mmCIF file of all heavy atoms in Angstrom:
data_model
loop_
_atom_site.group_PDB
_atom_site.id
_atom_site.type_symbol
_atom_site.label_atom_id
_atom_site.label_comp_id
_atom_site.label_asym_id
_atom_site.label_seq_id
_atom_site.Cartn_x
_atom_site.Cartn_y
_atom_site.Cartn_z
ATOM 1 N N TRP A 1 121.777 92.707 110.404
ATOM 2 C CA TRP A 1 122.021 91.357 110.921
ATOM 3 C C TRP A 1 123.280 91.313 111.784
ATOM 4 O O TRP A 1 123.333 90.574 112.770
ATOM 5 C CB TRP A 1 122.139 90.362 109.765
ATOM 6 C CG TRP A 1 120.936 90.368 108.874
ATOM 7 C CD1 TRP A 1 120.841 90.880 107.613
ATOM 8 C CD2 TRP A 1 119.648 89.847 109.197
ATOM 9 N NE1 TRP A 1 119.574 90.702 107.133
ATOM 10 C CE2 TRP A 1 118.818 90.079 108.068
ATOM 11 C CE3 TRP A 1 119.106 89.213 110.321
ATOM 12 C CZ2 TRP A 1 117.483 89.687 108.036
ATOM 13 C CZ3 TRP A 1 117.770 88.826 110.279
ATOM 14 C CH2 TRP A 1 116.980 89.066 109.148
ATOM 15 N N GLY A 2 124.288 92.088 111.431
ATOM 16 C CA GLY A 2 125.541 92.026 112.168
ATOM 17 C C GLY A 2 125.548 92.821 113.466
ATOM 18 O O GLY A 2 126.225 92.446 114.418
ATOM 19 N N LEU A 3 124.773 93.921 113.505
ATOM 20 C CA LEU A 3 124.879 94.838 114.654
ATOM 21 C C LEU A 3 123.595 94.941 115.473
ATOM 22 O O LEU A 3 123.546 95.725 116.424
ATOM 23 C CB LEU A 3 125.285 96.235 114.159
ATOM 24 C CG LEU A 3 126.659 96.315 113.482
ATOM 25 C CD1 LEU A 3 126.899 97.712 112.925
ATOM 26 C CD2 LEU A 3 127.774 95.930 114.445
ATOM 27 N N LEU A 4 122.592 94.166 115.141
ATOM 28 C CA LEU A 4 121.337 94.268 115.876
ATOM 29 C C LEU A 4 121.486 93.952 117.371
ATOM 30 O O LEU A 4 120.802 94.582 118.192
ATOM 31 C CB LEU A 4 120.275 93.361 115.239
ATOM 32 C CG LEU A 4 118.835 93.636 115.678
ATOM 33 C CD1 LEU A 4 118.439 95.077 115.391
ATOM 34 C CD2 LEU A 4 117.879 92.665 114.981
ATOM 35 N N PRO A 5 122.345 93.008 117.779
ATOM 36 C CA PRO A 5 122.508 92.800 119.229
ATOM 37 C C PRO A 5 122.957 94.063 119.955
ATOM 38 O O PRO A 5 122.517 94.339 121.082
ATOM 39 C CB PRO A 5 123.576 91.692 119.310
ATOM 40 C CG PRO A 5 123.504 90.991 118.003
ATOM 41 C CD PRO A 5 123.152 92.040 117.006
ATOM 42 N N LEU A 6 123.830 94.840 119.309
ATOM 43 C CA LEU A 6 124.305 96.065 119.940
ATOM 44 C C LEU A 6 123.222 97.142 119.946
ATOM 45 O O LEU A 6 123.122 97.922 120.897
ATOM 46 C CB LEU A 6 125.557 96.573 119.228
ATOM 47 C CG LEU A 6 126.776 95.652 119.331
ATOM 48 C CD1 LEU A 6 127.921 96.203 118.505
ATOM 49 C CD2 LEU A 6 127.193 95.489 120.782
ATOM 50 N N ILE A 7 122.429 97.203 118.887
ATOM 51 C CA ILE A 7 121.296 98.131 118.868
ATOM 52 C C ILE A 7 120.355 97.804 120.031
ATOM 53 O O ILE A 7 119.881 98.695 120.755
ATOM 54 C CB ILE A 7 120.548 98.058 117.530
ATOM 55 C CG1 ILE A 7 121.405 98.656 116.408
ATOM 56 C CG2 ILE A 7 119.192 98.749 117.602
ATOM 57 C CD1 ILE A 7 121.596 100.155 116.526
ATOM 58 N N ALA A 8 120.085 96.505 120.228
ATOM 59 C CA ALA A 8 119.183 96.089 121.302
ATOM 60 C C ALA A 8 119.740 96.480 122.665
ATOM 61 O O ALA A 8 119.019 97.038 123.510
ATOM 62 C CB ALA A 8 118.953 94.577 121.237
ATOM 63 N N ARG A 9 121.020 96.218 122.891
ATOM 64 C CA ARG A 9 121.594 96.419 124.230
ATOM 65 C C ARG A 9 121.970 97.875 124.496
ATOM 66 O O ARG A 9 121.644 98.435 125.545
ATOM 67 C CB ARG A 9 122.820 95.524 124.418
ATOM 68 C CG ARG A 9 123.375 95.533 125.845
ATOM 69 C CD ARG A 9 124.441 94.471 126.015
ATOM 70 N NE ARG A 9 125.654 94.792 125.300
ATOM 71 C CZ ARG A 9 126.699 95.440 125.823
ATOM 72 N NH1 ARG A 9 126.644 95.874 127.069
ATOM 73 N NH2 ARG A 9 127.776 95.674 125.110
ATOM 74 N N GLU A 10 122.658 98.527 123.526
ATOM 75 C CA GLU A 10 123.217 99.847 123.793
ATOM 76 C C GLU A 10 122.267 100.992 123.444
ATOM 77 O O GLU A 10 122.201 101.982 124.163
ATOM 78 C CB GLU A 10 124.533 100.012 123.024
ATOM 79 C CG GLU A 10 125.610 99.028 123.463
ATOM 80 C CD GLU A 10 126.919 99.230 122.729
ATOM 81 O OE1 GLU A 10 127.039 100.228 121.978
ATOM 82 O OE2 GLU A 10 127.825 98.372 122.894
ATOM 83 N N GLU A 11 121.538 100.872 122.354
ATOM 84 C CA GLU A 11 120.667 101.962 121.923
ATOM 85 C C GLU A 11 119.270 101.877 122.531
ATOM 86 O O GLU A 11 118.647 102.888 122.814
ATOM 87 C CB GLU A 11 120.571 101.975 120.389
ATOM 88 C CG GLU A 11 121.894 102.231 119.693
ATOM 89 C CD GLU A 11 122.419 103.630 119.949
ATOM 90 O OE1 GLU A 11 121.639 104.593 119.856
ATOM 91 O OE2 GLU A 11 123.627 103.756 120.261
ATOM 92 N N LEU A 12 118.763 100.635 122.686
ATOM 93 C CA LEU A 12 117.380 100.468 123.144
ATOM 94 C C LEU A 12 117.286 99.913 124.561
ATOM 95 O O LEU A 12 116.178 99.795 125.101
ATOM 96 C CB LEU A 12 116.623 99.548 122.171
ATOM 97 C CG LEU A 12 116.588 100.012 120.703
ATOM 98 C CD1 LEU A 12 115.866 98.993 119.841
ATOM 99 C CD2 LEU A 12 115.938 101.382 120.584
ATOM 100 N N GLY A 13 118.411 99.528 125.167
ATOM 101 C CA GLY A 13 118.407 99.016 126.537
ATOM 102 C C GLY A 13 117.635 97.730 126.705
ATOM 103 O O GLY A 13 116.973 97.514 127.730
ATOM 104 N N MET A 14 117.724 96.818 125.733
ATOM 105 C CA MET A 14 116.980 95.557 125.763
ATOM 106 C C MET A 14 117.931 94.411 126.054
ATOM 107 O O MET A 14 119.107 94.444 125.684
ATOM 108 C CB MET A 14 116.260 95.327 124.424
ATOM 109 C CG MET A 14 115.325 96.472 124.043
ATOM 110 S SD MET A 14 114.693 96.348 122.349
ATOM 111 C CE MET A 14 113.384 95.150 122.575
ATOM 112 N N GLY A 15 117.412 93.357 126.697
ATOM 113 C CA GLY A 15 118.199 92.176 126.994
ATOM 114 C C GLY A 15 118.066 91.121 125.913
ATOM 115 O O GLY A 15 117.635 91.396 124.785
ATOM 116 N N ALA A 16 118.404 89.868 126.260
ATOM 117 C CA ALA A 16 118.367 88.776 125.278
ATOM 118 C C ALA A 16 116.956 88.566 124.739
ATOM 119 O O ALA A 16 116.755 88.352 123.536
ATOM 120 C CB ALA A 16 118.876 87.486 125.926
ATOM 121 N N SER A 17 115.960 88.628 125.600
ATOM 122 C CA SER A 17 114.575 88.441 125.142
ATOM 123 C C SER A 17 114.157 89.567 124.211
ATOM 124 O O SER A 17 113.473 89.339 123.201
ATOM 125 C CB SER A 17 113.633 88.371 126.342
ATOM 126 O OG SER A 17 113.946 87.272 127.169
ATOM 127 N N GLY A 18 114.565 90.805 124.520
ATOM 128 C CA GLY A 18 114.247 91.930 123.650
ATOM 129 C C GLY A 18 114.909 91.798 122.290
ATOM 130 O O GLY A 18 114.312 92.143 121.255
ATOM 131 N N TYR A 19 116.151 91.296 122.284
ATOM 132 C CA TYR A 19 116.834 91.035 121.010
ATOM 133 C C TYR A 19 116.047 90.031 120.190
ATOM 134 O O TYR A 19 115.875 90.189 118.971
ATOM 135 C CB TYR A 19 118.252 90.532 121.306
ATOM 136 C CG TYR A 19 119.026 90.049 120.110
ATOM 137 C CD1 TYR A 19 119.080 90.779 118.939
ATOM 138 C CD2 TYR A 19 119.727 88.847 120.172
ATOM 139 C CE1 TYR A 19 119.809 90.322 117.843
ATOM 140 C CE2 TYR A 19 120.465 88.385 119.101
ATOM 141 C CZ TYR A 19 120.498 89.132 117.930
ATOM 142 O OH TYR A 19 121.212 88.673 116.859
ATOM 143 N N GLY A 20 115.520 89.012 120.858
ATOM 144 C CA GLY A 20 114.685 88.035 120.164
ATOM 145 C C GLY A 20 113.440 88.676 119.580
ATOM 146 O O GLY A 20 113.012 88.318 118.468
ATOM 147 N N VAL A 21 112.860 89.642 120.282
ATOM 148 C CA VAL A 21 111.673 90.343 119.764
ATOM 149 C C VAL A 21 112.019 91.118 118.491
ATOM 150 O O VAL A 21 111.251 91.120 117.514
ATOM 151 C CB VAL A 21 111.093 91.285 120.837
ATOM 152 C CG1 VAL A 21 110.031 92.209 120.240
ATOM 153 C CG2 VAL A 21 110.495 90.480 121.982
ATOM 154 N N LEU A 22 113.173 91.785 118.482
ATOM 155 C CA LEU A 22 113.579 92.541 117.293
ATOM 156 C C LEU A 22 113.784 91.610 116.096
ATOM 157 O O LEU A 22 113.354 91.921 114.971
ATOM 158 C CB LEU A 22 114.858 93.324 117.574
ATOM 159 C CG LEU A 22 114.756 94.433 118.626
ATOM 160 C CD1 LEU A 22 116.098 95.152 118.765
ATOM 161 C CD2 LEU A 22 113.656 95.427 118.284
ATOM 162 N N LEU A 23 114.420 90.475 116.330
ATOM 163 C CA LEU A 23 114.588 89.520 115.238
ATOM 164 C C LEU A 23 113.246 88.927 114.816
ATOM 165 O O LEU A 23 113.021 88.639 113.638
ATOM 166 C CB LEU A 23 115.558 88.414 115.656
ATOM 167 C CG LEU A 23 117.041 88.798 115.602
ATOM 168 C CD1 LEU A 23 117.893 87.714 116.218
ATOM 169 C CD2 LEU A 23 117.489 89.070 114.181
ATOM 170 N N ALA A 24 112.352 88.749 115.767
ATOM 171 C CA ALA A 24 111.014 88.266 115.425
ATOM 172 C C ALA A 24 110.298 89.264 114.528
ATOM 173 O O ALA A 24 109.546 88.874 113.619
ATOM 174 C CB ALA A 24 110.207 88.013 116.693
ATOM 175 N N ALA A 25 110.517 90.566 114.752
ATOM 176 C CA ALA A 25 109.918 91.582 113.886
ATOM 177 C C ALA A 25 110.409 91.425 112.448
ATOM 178 O O ALA A 25 109.633 91.535 111.486
ATOM 179 C CB ALA A 25 110.239 92.983 114.410
ATOM 180 N N LEU A 26 111.703 91.165 112.292
ATOM 181 C CA LEU A 26 112.228 90.889 110.954
ATOM 182 C C LEU A 26 111.538 89.673 110.340
ATOM 183 O O LEU A 26 111.162 89.670 109.162
ATOM 184 C CB LEU A 26 113.735 90.646 111.030
ATOM 185 C CG LEU A 26 114.640 91.870 111.196
ATOM 186 C CD1 LEU A 26 116.029 91.439 111.613
ATOM 187 C CD2 LEU A 26 114.702 92.654 109.892
ATOM 188 N N GLY A 27 111.367 88.631 111.149
ATOM 189 C CA GLY A 27 110.731 87.418 110.657
ATOM 190 C C GLY A 27 109.282 87.635 110.266
ATOM 191 O O GLY A 27 108.812 87.120 109.249
ATOM 192 N N VAL A 28 108.547 88.401 111.060
ATOM 193 C CA VAL A 28 107.145 88.692 110.744
ATOM 194 C C VAL A 28 107.052 89.440 109.415
ATOM 195 O O VAL A 28 106.218 89.134 108.553
ATOM 196 C CB VAL A 28 106.499 89.511 111.875
ATOM 197 C CG1 VAL A 28 105.137 90.065 111.438
ATOM 198 C CG2 VAL A 28 106.330 88.643 113.115
ATOM 199 N N GLY A 29 107.911 90.442 109.233
ATOM 200 C CA GLY A 29 107.919 91.172 107.971
ATOM 201 C C GLY A 29 108.209 90.269 106.790
ATOM 202 O O GLY A 29 107.594 90.398 105.726
ATOM 203 N N ALA A 30 109.141 89.348 106.976
ATOM 204 C CA ALA A 30 109.491 88.431 105.894
ATOM 205 C C ALA A 30 108.322 87.519 105.539
ATOM 206 O O ALA A 30 108.073 87.244 104.356
ATOM 207 C CB ALA A 30 110.707 87.604 106.297
ATOM 208 N N ILE A 31 107.611 87.049 106.534
ATOM 209 C CA ILE A 31 106.472 86.169 106.265
ATOM 210 C C ILE A 31 105.372 86.935 105.532
ATOM 211 O O ILE A 31 104.769 86.440 104.567
ATOM 212 C CB ILE A 31 105.950 85.571 107.578
ATOM 213 C CG1 ILE A 31 107.002 84.622 108.161
ATOM 214 C CG2 ILE A 31 104.642 84.818 107.359
ATOM 215 C CD1 ILE A 31 106.727 84.201 109.585
ATOM 216 N N VAL A 32 105.117 88.175 105.963
ATOM 217 C CA VAL A 32 104.132 89.009 105.264
ATOM 218 C C VAL A 32 104.572 89.225 103.812
ATOM 219 O O VAL A 32 103.770 89.133 102.876
ATOM 220 C CB VAL A 32 103.959 90.357 105.984
ATOM 221 C CG1 VAL A 32 103.095 91.306 105.153
ATOM 222 C CG2 VAL A 32 103.327 90.150 107.355
ATOM 223 N N GLY A 33 105.852 89.483 103.619
ATOM 224 C CA GLY A 33 106.367 89.663 102.264
ATOM 225 C C GLY A 33 106.184 88.430 101.405
ATOM 226 O O GLY A 33 105.832 88.530 100.228
ATOM 227 N N ALA A 34 106.421 87.247 101.979
ATOM 228 C CA ALA A 34 106.257 86.006 101.229
ATOM 229 C C ALA A 34 104.799 85.805 100.810
ATOM 230 O O ALA A 34 104.512 85.352 99.704
ATOM 231 C CB ALA A 34 106.739 84.830 102.063
ATOM 232 N N LEU A 35 103.867 86.155 101.704
ATOM 233 C CA LEU A 35 102.450 86.019 101.379
ATOM 234 C C LEU A 35 102.029 86.998 100.282
ATOM 235 O O LEU A 35 101.119 86.710 99.494
ATOM 236 C CB LEU A 35 101.606 86.245 102.635
ATOM 237 C CG LEU A 35 101.785 85.211 103.752
ATOM 238 C CD1 LEU A 35 100.986 85.605 104.974
ATOM 239 C CD2 LEU A 35 101.388 83.822 103.272
ATOM 240 N N LEU A 36 102.683 88.156 100.226
ATOM 241 C CA LEU A 36 102.348 89.147 99.209
ATOM 242 C C LEU A 36 103.048 88.896 97.879
ATOM 243 O O LEU A 36 102.666 89.490 96.860
ATOM 244 C CB LEU A 36 102.731 90.549 99.710
ATOM 245 C CG LEU A 36 101.924 91.101 100.899
ATOM 246 C CD1 LEU A 36 102.513 92.437 101.327
ATOM 247 C CD2 LEU A 36 100.456 91.250 100.529
ATOM 248 N N MET A 37 104.069 88.031 97.863
ATOM 249 C CA MET A 37 104.887 87.848 96.671
ATOM 250 C C MET A 37 104.104 87.483 95.419
ATOM 251 O O MET A 37 104.366 88.036 94.336
ATOM 252 C CB MET A 37 105.980 86.817 96.931
ATOM 253 C CG MET A 37 107.252 87.405 97.496
ATOM 254 S SD MET A 37 108.027 88.640 96.429
ATOM 255 C CE MET A 37 108.561 87.618 95.064
ATOM 256 N N PRO A 38 103.140 86.533 95.455
ATOM 257 C CA PRO A 38 102.419 86.215 94.216
ATOM 258 C C PRO A 38 101.752 87.436 93.588
ATOM 259 O O PRO A 38 101.800 87.615 92.368
ATOM 260 C CB PRO A 38 101.383 85.172 94.677
ATOM 261 C CG PRO A 38 102.002 84.536 95.875
ATOM 262 C CD PRO A 38 102.744 85.640 96.561
ATOM 263 N N ARG A 39 101.143 88.286 94.404
ATOM 264 C CA ARG A 39 100.501 89.495 93.869
ATOM 265 C C ARG A 39 101.541 90.493 93.361
ATOM 266 O O ARG A 39 101.346 91.143 92.326
ATOM 267 C CB ARG A 39 99.654 90.147 94.952
ATOM 268 C CG ARG A 39 98.464 89.299 95.408
ATOM 269 C CD ARG A 39 97.683 90.013 96.493
ATOM 270 N NE ARG A 39 96.608 89.174 97.014
ATOM 271 C CZ ARG A 39 95.796 89.534 98.007
ATOM 272 N NH1 ARG A 39 95.962 90.721 98.589
ATOM 273 N NH2 ARG A 39 94.850 88.708 98.421
ATOM 274 N N VAL A 40 102.637 90.606 94.103
ATOM 275 C CA VAL A 40 103.679 91.552 93.691
ATOM 276 C C VAL A 40 104.282 91.126 92.354
ATOM 277 O O VAL A 40 104.550 91.977 91.478
ATOM 278 C CB VAL A 40 104.766 91.639 94.782
ATOM 279 C CG1 VAL A 40 105.968 92.451 94.292
ATOM 280 C CG2 VAL A 40 104.192 92.278 96.044
ATOM 281 N N ARG A 41 104.497 89.851 92.157
ATOM 282 C CA ARG A 41 105.068 89.349 90.902
ATOM 283 C C ARG A 41 104.172 89.668 89.717
ATOM 284 O O ARG A 41 104.651 89.903 88.612
ATOM 285 C CB ARG A 41 105.308 87.841 90.974
ATOM 286 C CG ARG A 41 106.442 87.442 91.900
ATOM 287 C CD ARG A 41 106.667 85.939 91.886
ATOM 288 N NE ARG A 41 107.206 85.492 90.621
ATOM 289 C CZ ARG A 41 106.597 84.672 89.774
ATOM 290 N NH1 ARG A 41 105.409 84.196 90.059
ATOM 291 N NH2 ARG A 41 107.166 84.309 88.654
ATOM 292 N N VAL A 42 102.860 89.656 89.932
ATOM 293 C CA VAL A 42 101.918 89.945 88.857
ATOM 294 C C VAL A 42 101.841 91.441 88.569
ATOM 295 O O VAL A 42 101.791 91.871 87.405
ATOM 296 C CB VAL A 42 100.515 89.390 89.209
ATOM 297 C CG1 VAL A 42 99.472 89.867 88.199
ATOM 298 C CG2 VAL A 42 100.545 87.871 89.257
ATOM 299 N N ARG A 43 101.862 92.268 89.614
ATOM 300 C CA ARG A 43 101.595 93.698 89.456
ATOM 301 C C ARG A 43 102.843 94.517 89.126
ATOM 302 O O ARG A 43 102.742 95.595 88.541
ATOM 303 C CB ARG A 43 100.959 94.255 90.728
ATOM 304 C CG ARG A 43 99.569 93.701 91.010
ATOM 305 C CD ARG A 43 98.915 94.416 92.177
ATOM 306 N NE ARG A 43 98.774 95.851 91.924
ATOM 307 C CZ ARG A 43 98.271 96.706 92.809
ATOM 308 N NH1 ARG A 43 97.883 96.278 94.001
ATOM 309 N NH2 ARG A 43 98.170 97.992 92.508
ATOM 310 N N PHE A 44 104.015 94.035 89.532
ATOM 311 C CA PHE A 44 105.228 94.834 89.359
ATOM 312 C C PHE A 44 106.284 94.051 88.595
ATOM 313 O O PHE A 44 106.485 92.859 88.820
ATOM 314 C CB PHE A 44 105.798 95.263 90.720
ATOM 315 C CG PHE A 44 104.868 96.127 91.527
ATOM 316 C CD1 PHE A 44 104.096 95.568 92.529
ATOM 317 C CD2 PHE A 44 104.777 97.482 91.276
ATOM 318 C CE1 PHE A 44 103.237 96.351 93.277
ATOM 319 C CE2 PHE A 44 103.923 98.277 92.017
ATOM 320 C CZ PHE A 44 103.144 97.713 93.015
#
């Protein structure tokens, strides 16, 4: 969360929109995780 802007700009050569895509990937994963949570709570 603290260094992702630098990863986007310096390591991956991405601009502001690309940084938004990387954060969107985090958000997509979180939403998938939330949908799986009821099953995970039962099985693990």
Side-chain angles (χ1 to χ4, degrees):
W1 304 107
L3 297 175
L4 195 57
L6 295 176
I7 290 291
R9 187 171 70 93
E10 297 182 8
E11 297 293 315
L12 302 178
M14 304 170 80
S17 298
Y19 172 47
V21 169
L22 295 182
L23 282 172
L26 283 165
V28 168
I31 293 168
V32 172
L35 295 175
L36 293 175
M37 271 300 292
R39 295 179 185 178
V40 171
R41 290 182 69 244
V42 171
R43 294 187 60 182
F44 298 99

